[in-house]
Amino acid sequence: DTGVSQNPRHKITKRGQNVTFRCDPISEHNRLYWYRQTLGQGPEFLTYFQNEAQLEKSRLLSDRFSAERPKGSFSTLEIQRTEQGDSAMYLCASSLSGYEQYFGPGTRLTVT
Amino acid sequence: AQTVTQSQPEMSVQEAETVTLSCTYDTSESDYYLFWYKQPPSRQMILVIRQEAYKQQNATENRFSVNFQKAAKSFSLKISDSQLGDAAMYFCAYRREQGGSEKLVFGKGTKLTVNP
């Protein structure tokens, strides 16, 4: 049973650089979500895909953020011109039914 | 707006004892789903238990059970016979569905320590 995988697990980047994260959902899960979690907080919703369609994008996602899910399979989250405030854990989750979400291990981003 | 409140930032319990984690939420919807997730240190989020609002019976999964009080908008998690492996952050979450989209809205979490 292959769960949700995310790569890389850790990313350290300098302010102003671009970074891209990848999420591979559980096979056949058509729903995919991105969340951001900062220290001491619960995850906050960023965006939602159903198949390849991005159906919602949170106001938390500035224009520097973009997410894609080509062909409804894996998804990428790109942050352009990173800022220190972008430092967080980025979590991906997938679901078949929409009623239970299964989370990946996350990508921890540190912007120096 | 839907919000989820966990009023206990930290809780501790003795091994083999029972502990209850609190959660309240705010919604104007009549049908919805609630969840408890567990996040062990440096490990991924795991679904512990879910409750459908239309079900009057409280959900149970082995040592984990909930006390769902719909009128009071309360959704507490009871862990019986606590084990060292139960030590983790616990997050209460509400599933929000609107305009063809869906998401989980999480509380800030409760850090559970299990003492041997």
Side-chain angles (χ1 to χ4, degrees):
Chain A
D1 180 22
T2 303
V4 178
S5 62
Q6 293 187 245
N7 288 289
R9 295 291 305 279
H10 303 275
K11 179 70 176 179
I12 300 174
T13 191
K14 293 184 177 180
R15 188 177 55 185
Q17 298 294 306
N18 299 344
V19 294
T20 300
F21 310 141
R22 176 177 171 129
C23 170
D24 287 89
I26 295 172
S27 179
E28 298 182 353
H29 278 195
N30 62 336
R31 293 169 162 87
L32 188 145
Y33 318 79
W34 285 96
Y35 294 85
R36 181 170 67 188
Q37 185 178 24
T38 54
L39 196 63
Q41 301 294 320
E44 294 177 292
F45 171 80
L46 292 179
T47 191
Y48 165 61
F49 289 88
Q50 188 166 351
N51 299 310
E52 66 276 10
Q54 187 176 22
L55 297 186
E56 186 175 357
K57 184 176 176 180
S58 166
R59 288 173 293 178
L60 291 175
L61 284 188
S62 70
D63 292 343
R64 297 184 296 106
F65 289 73
S66 63
E68 295 182 341
R69 192 182 182 198
K71 301 180 181 179
S73 55
F74 69 92
S75 176
T76 58
L77 178 67
E78 180 183 15
I79 309 174
Q80 296 182 329
R81 305 181 304 281
T82 52
E83 302 173 355
Q84 287 191 323
D86 297 331
S87 295
M89 177 76 84
Y90 290 84
L91 299 171
C92 176
S94 71
S95 177
L96 180 60
S97 66
Y99 296 106
E100 293 184 2
Q101 294 185 20
Y102 297 88
F103 283 80
T107 294
R108 181 168 295 283
L109 172 66
T110 301
V111 181
T112 61
Chain B
Q2 287 84 2
T3 59
V4 178
T5 301
Q6 294 180 249
S7 59
Q8 306 153 315
E10 297 187 24
M11 290 283 284
S12 64
V13 62
Q14 292 296 125
E15 197 175 2
E17 297 295 309
T18 295
V19 64
T20 299
L21 308 184
S22 301
C23 173
T24 58
Y25 59 94
D26 183 28
T27 182
S28 57
E29 299 176 343
S30 60
D31 191 18
Y32 47 89
Y33 289 75
L34 296 163
F35 304 87
W36 278 98
Y37 278 86
K38 169 186 177 182
Q39 189 176 40
S42 301
R43 296 182 61 187
Q44 66 199 74
M45 197 89 71
I46 302 167
L47 177 63
V48 174
I49 198 166
R50 85 175 199 188
Q51 175 77 45
E52 294 90 337
Y54 65 86
K55 290 186 177 179
Q56 293 186 339
Q57 187 173 8
N58 289 323
T60 298
E61 288 287 341
N62 300 316
R63 298 182 295 106
F64 298 87
S65 62
V66 300
N67 182 4
F68 174 51
Q69 301 290 327
K70 190 173 184 179
K73 296 180 181 176
S74 171
F75 182 60
S76 61
L77 174 69
K78 185 171 82 171
I79 305 174
S80 304
D81 185 25
S82 297
Q83 301 176 359
L84 294 177
D86 294 334
M89 286 292 294
Y90 286 82
F91 293 97
C92 177
Y94 170 99
R95 178 182 180 273
R96 177 183 176 186
E97 185 175 358
Q98 186 178 40
S101 181
E102 56 191 55
K103 70 186 78 169
L104 293 177
V105 178
F106 286 87
K108 291 188 176 182
T110 296
K111 181 180 180 181
L112 178 65
T113 300
V114 181
N115 301 309

